[in-house]
Amino acid sequence: AQILVAWGSTSTQNIGTDQDPLLLKWSDQLDFTNWTVSELTQAGSLRIPTGSKIIGGMQASQSALVWTDLGVLALQYVGPPLVFGLNKVGSNCGLISSHAMCQLGGQVFWRGNSNFFTLTGAGATAIPCPVWDEVFQDLDTANVHKIRAWPSTTFNEVWWFYPSRSGGTGENDSYVKLTVTEGSWDY
């Protein structure tokens, strides 16, 4: 649709503007500078009804995905007058940091606050992780915003780089890796 979508946008209030951490706004089609809502544009907005803030988003194979601290939603283009619609695809599977998700071979993977997840036909599904204790109990929780996911198409692996408490630097000094075809983990 060639529309720019922004999250955590501002909303006009009676006494000015406030940033709303659950508000999605989008520009007019083919004009990323026009955010004016009217009958002549496709610009608009909607507010996600659950969660306390949007953590991240990405364009996946079938739809755009938006993660809050509590779950994941599919943002789908439906055309005027609504332009976009939201469908909840998972609860209790929020994203831990804005870059903790990736796509590998059309499949989406992400790290949540207490588990790893993938998107299947049934929605968000937790991935069994036999190294959970080593990975989640050694996490530097003050620096989770630095967590990064990386897909390796050559080896069909998903890597997450994260800061550990034992490393003590506050920087990404550890990793956990899922080999997708075997379902095996390494850290």
Side-chain angles (χ1 to χ4, degrees):
Q2 297 188 9
I3 295 173
L4 182 63
V5 177
W7 68 76
S9 301
T10 56
S11 62
T12 304
Q13 305 295 323
N14 293 336
I15 56 172
T17 58
D18 284 331
Q19 185 170 2
D20 184 340
L22 288 171
L23 184 64
L24 293 168
K25 282 190 171 183
W26 53 86
S27 70
D28 189 20
Q29 187 174 27
L30 299 175
D31 185 355
F32 303 140
T33 64
N34 186 355
W35 297 76
T36 305
V37 179
S38 77
E39 292 179 7
L40 303 174
T41 72
Q42 288 195 48
S45 67
L46 59 82
R47 189 171 194 281
I48 295 176
T50 58
S52 62
K53 67 180 178 175
I54 297 170
I55 304 295
M58 73 180 289
Q59 180 62 49
S61 299
Q62 302 300 317
S63 65
L65 298 173
V66 179
W67 283 267
T68 67
D69 52 335
L70 297 180
V72 61
L73 302 108
L75 181 68
Q76 296 174 317
Y77 181 76
V78 296
L82 299 176
V83 184
F84 284 104
L86 274 178
N87 293 313
K88 186 190 307 186
V89 292
S91 298
N92 300 318
C93 60
L95 190 64
I96 195 167
S97 89
S98 62
H99 296 286
M101 80 297 225
C102 67
Q103 184 170 303
L104 178 66
Q107 191 171 1
V108 176
F109 298 88
W110 69 95
R111 183 173 178 167
N113 288 308
S114 62
N115 217 332
F116 295 95
F117 298 92
T118 187
L119 199 55
T120 66
T125 304
I127 305 168
C129 179
V131 297
W132 188 96
D133 287 341
E134 290 83 355
V135 174
F136 280 92
Q137 291 184 358
D138 190 32
L139 179 61
D140 177 355
T141 56
N143 290 291
V144 296
H145 62 279
K146 296 179 181 180
I147 295 173
R148 299 291 186 265
W150 176 68
S152 170
T153 55
T154 305
F155 298 104
N156 207 20
E157 298 169 339
V158 178
W159 294 64
W160 286 272
F161 300 95
Y162 65 94
S164 68
R165 283 191 303 172
S166 59
T169 65
E171 300 300 327
N172 289 343
D173 57 7
S174 299
Y175 75 90
V176 60
K177 174 186 70 171
L178 168 64
T179 304
V180 176
T181 51
E182 301 168 4
S184 62
W185 292 82
D186 183 18
Y187 69 97

